[in-house]
Amino acid sequence: MSNDAIAEGDVPLPAARPPIPVTLADVLLRSREAWPQATALVLPDARYTYDDLARRAWATARSLAGMGVKPGDHVGLLFPNSAEFVTTLFGIAMLGAVAVPINTRYRAWELGFLVKDADLSCIVTYDGTRDYVDFATLLEEAFPELASQRQPGQLALDAAPLLRAVVMLGETERPWLTGPAAFAAAASACDNRQLTVWCEGVPIRSIAAIVYTSGTTSQPRGALLSQESLVRSWVMAGRRWGLRQSDSFWNPCQMFHIAGIGPLVFTLAHGAAFVTATHFEAGQALDQIDREKPTILYPTYPPLTMDLLTHPKFAATDTSHARAWLNVAPPDTLRRMQAAIPHASLITLYGSTEGGCVTMLSPEEDLETRMTTGGLPLPGNQVRVVSAETGEPAPPGIIGEIQYRGYNAFVGYYKDPEKTRATLGDDGWVRTGDMGDFDAAGRLTFRGRLKDMLKVGGENVAPAELEQYLESHPAVKLAQVFGIPDDRLVEVPVACIELHDGMVVGAEEIIAFCKGRISSFKVPRHVKVVTAWPMSLTKIQRGKLREQFITEMDEARGA
């Protein structure tokens, strides 16, 4: 058959699409060139165009470069959702440095670990949420050495030897902080020509961000995300949504999470408006939805969604402009959610920090498909389900471990080759530790976790990390943590502890030991003192502990 005959056939060619941005900096720069005056970011008290964000991001890049930050350096972002987070993120990207978002719910113990583990050379933060958390004070708690530092921009800390500067974009003053005036003045030392070369020359496989995620090790691990894995994979997710330049995307998830930063990337790449707030409160969120009338809603996690749907304001909130929304929940829960906003197609997905959006439904798919599966892999993502016994691919309908590979996959865990080898094979397949199966059409359904990981209101909690902290209490000899079901948060942590001989401590004291020192979602909701552990040959049977605890709770309720 001739080429002419092929070209004249009835098989349609793929539709032309706008090119996918190559780097994180490209996302904002391309959209600024295409839609400079279009609304890019909406907060409850402010709106920003693409031109606004791009100019602020470039000013941030100049200031960072003037302070000595270079391509490849690691820069921490300690912000809630804000224009400052967005412009700092893209400023770091324009410089070719590596963004390290920091969970604003961290307390001193966790923050101190991340700053050192991530080899941060600079942290950028601000004080716009001092009513909720004072980041300057939190940093001093994590690094007491800061109080004696008198040369901002030239810090010398034994506990974090690479950290040279903490930039405060606000009014808070400390001798060790670089304030907004000094930060702006640093731009005068920037070589603008060199900065442009750096911006235009960022390699597609270079690291764009290190996003920390709790694992089964004793501390969170930093997932290394390349420019391609962060940008291309999430832009493809935006395409699966059918995102348009005229859309507005409401997302209450914090930007330091992949559920915040990923949708931010694809929203801005499509020239749409990203609608968010510094923190989530259901009544205020409904006011924002009513006022902004977003076309896509992204509450994502059942605790947030149910807070919205059960709030007294919900019935009067105008959601008529929403054409699609997303939640990650079991089918029965999804059906209840869909019934609450029936005109907007509810979809779900399967993904992770390490792989972004792996599979996802389209709003155009039928109701039953959307309620019962996690959708098809995004273009370029390979997904398989393998037998836990044989390691061979499982046929449709057979549950096994979910694995994926492709441009979406992370590069590895920072400074943790052992865990990288355990998760990322030489053949590129990412072993998730999650269970799932395919239907006959190739759609994936998540069936649970092989890992011990807890999911508390959408936040990952590693039992080993919490156990390590509990065992730092002088009375605690050994701790074991597991999850029990919770109507609002899906799971909550429970701690069983063995005490050192002669020590006496109550549950209230252990819980008080946790509050304010670790993230609130990690604080055990129940603590039980044990004197004997259920054991297999060599290990404590965590599952047996959980069964015993749930039985005791049920019996107590029935008493």
Side-chain angles (χ1 to χ4, degrees):
M1 182 181 291
S2 69
N3 289 336
D4 288 343
I6 294 173
E8 294 170 0
D10 294 330
V11 178
L13 292 170
R17 292 180 181 269
I20 292 175
V22 174
T23 66
L24 186 55
D26 284 341
V27 169
L28 183 55
L29 291 172
R30 287 189 183 189
S31 292
R32 183 259 177 184
E33 187 165 333
W35 308 286
Q37 298 309 313
T39 300
L41 177 66
V42 178
L43 294 161
D45 57 354
R47 309 173 79 84
Y48 301 86
T49 66
Y50 279 91
D51 189 62
D52 293 333
L53 295 184
R55 289 182 182 277
R56 291 175 181 228
W58 187 247
T60 298
R62 294 183 65 236
S63 290
L64 288 170
M67 292 179 64
V69 178
K70 304 180 299 300
D73 285 351
H74 298 177
V75 181
L77 298 89
L78 185 56
F79 300 95
N81 290 4
S82 57
E84 289 80 4
F85 183 104
V86 176
T87 55
T88 302
L89 173 70
F90 284 99
I92 293 167
M94 290 172 177
L95 176 58
V98 178
V100 185
I102 302 172
N103 192 326
T104 58
R105 298 175 73 181
Y106 279 174
R107 293 297 177 260
W109 187 67
E110 301 147 314
L111 181 59
F113 165 80
L114 184 146
V115 171
K116 184 176 181 179
D117 187 74
D119 291 328
L120 298 186
S121 64
C122 178
I123 298 171
V124 187
T125 186
Y126 90 143
D127 58 5
T129 55
R130 278 177 296 182
D131 291 344
Y132 299 96
V133 58
D134 183 339
F135 292 130
T137 299
L138 182 62
L139 284 162
E140 286 181 333
E141 290 175 3
F143 299 101
E145 296 171 85
L146 283 172
S148 63
Q149 299 288 306
R150 293 296 183 269
Q151 292 183 294
Q154 301 179 47
L155 304 179
L157 307 180
D158 292 337
L162 296 183
L163 185 65
R164 290 290 176 263
V166 177
V167 177
M168 171 59 71
L169 302 179
E171 299 177 357
T172 298
E173 295 182 358
R174 298 282 199 283
W176 50 272
L177 282 173
T178 299
F183 187 57
S188 63
C190 171
D191 182 336
N192 293 323
R193 182 176 297 179
Q194 181 63 71
L195 180 59
T196 300
V197 170
W198 285 342
C199 183
E200 293 177 346
V202 175
I204 189 173
R205 294 303 296 173
S206 66
I207 302 303
I210 305 176
V211 180
Y212 274 72
T213 178
S214 291
T216 54
T217 58
S218 60
Q219 289 282 11
R221 292 290 91 191
L224 295 161
L225 304 181
S226 70
Q227 303 284 338
E228 187 176 25
S229 62
L230 180 60
V231 175
R232 187 180 181 191
S233 64
W234 282 100
V235 173
M236 295 304 289
R239 288 185 172 183
R240 182 65 59 87
W241 273 106
L243 200 65
R244 312 165 192 145
Q245 191 273 325
S246 58
D247 277 323
S248 54
F249 191 98
W250 178 78
N251 186 355
C253 299
Q254 287 294 309
M255 292 176 185
F256 56 73
H257 263 195
I258 200 65
I261 198 171
L264 174 70
V265 167
F266 70 60
T267 300
L268 298 187
H270 283 82
F274 191 84
V275 183
T276 190
T278 57
H279 67 283
F280 175 81
E281 191 283 317
Q284 295 174 7
L286 290 168
D287 288 341
Q288 188 179 41
I289 292 170
D290 196 56
R291 181 173 61 252
E292 300 296 338
K293 298 177 173 40
T295 55
I296 297 176
L297 308 174
Y298 197 78
T300 310
Y301 301 114
L304 302 186
T305 305
M306 297 312 297
D307 281 356
L308 294 174
L309 301 184
T310 59
H311 195 278
K313 289 184 178 180
F314 175 73
T317 301
D318 181 9
T319 62
S320 63
H321 290 74
R323 58 183 173 82
W325 59 313
L326 181 141
N327 274 279
V328 179
D332 288 346
T333 304
L334 290 176
R335 293 182 198 280
R336 292 195 296 272
M337 293 173 177
Q338 179 66 92
I341 310 180
H343 61 274
S345 294
L346 180 62
I347 63 172
T348 191
L349 57 76
Y350 172 76
S352 67
T353 301
E354 294 85 349
C357 189
V358 177
T359 73
M360 182 177 170
L361 288 149
S362 165
E364 283 72 41
E365 294 184 81
D366 66 84
L367 176 64
E368 189 62 19
T369 297
R370 289 187 285 109
M371 296 297 101
T372 57
T373 80
L376 295 167
L378 292 176
N381 295 354
Q382 293 178 274
V383 185
R384 68 183 184 183
V385 172
V386 302
S387 167
E389 288 76 25
T390 67
E392 295 298 316
I398 301 300
I399 296 175
E401 183 187 26
I402 300 169
Q403 299 182 355
Y404 59 82
R405 71 177 177 185
Y407 61 78
N408 65 307
F410 79 131
V411 176
Y413 293 108
Y414 187 60
K415 296 198 305 190
D416 197 337
E418 182 178 347
K419 187 177 181 186
T420 297
R421 285 192 297 270
T423 306
L424 183 61
D426 293 338
D427 54 3
W429 287 103
V430 177
R431 297 183 282 270
T432 67
D434 292 332
M435 298 181 293
D437 63 326
F438 286 115
D439 66 10
R443 297 184 183 90
L444 181 72
T445 298
F446 170 72
R447 301 295 184 184
R449 292 183 298 281
L450 295 170
K451 310 172 187 176
D452 290 327
M453 177 74 73
L454 310 185
K455 186 73 79 170
V456 181
E459 297 274 6
N460 286 340
V461 176
E465 180 192 358
L466 181 50
E467 288 160 4
Q468 177 179 317
Y469 178 75
L470 291 168
E471 289 169 7
S472 71
H473 189 285
V476 177
K477 178 181 179 181
L478 183 63
Q480 289 287 290
V481 173
F482 51 86
I484 61 171
D486 183 82
D487 291 339
R488 182 173 179 271
L489 297 175
V490 183
E491 287 181 305
V492 293
V494 173
C496 288
I497 58 172
E498 180 183 356
L499 302 179
H500 291 290
D501 291 344
M503 300 298 292
V504 177
V505 67
E508 295 79 11
E509 182 179 333
I510 295 298
I511 292 172
F513 175 69
C514 297
K515 286 183 176 179
R517 300 185 185 184
I518 60 175
S519 302
S520 59
F521 59 86
K522 297 178 183 176
V523 175
R525 301 316 193 264
H526 307 276
V527 175
K528 176 185 176 183
V529 177
V530 301
T531 56
W533 300 100
M535 299 289 294
S536 62
L537 184 62
T538 59
K539 296 180 180 180
I540 296 173
Q541 294 179 303
R542 198 190 305 264
K544 184 65 67 67
L545 275 175
R546 181 178 183 274
E547 291 173 9
Q548 292 173 351
F549 186 85
I550 291 176
T551 298
E552 290 170 4
M553 285 189 66
D554 290 341
E555 290 175 351
R557 290 192 189 102

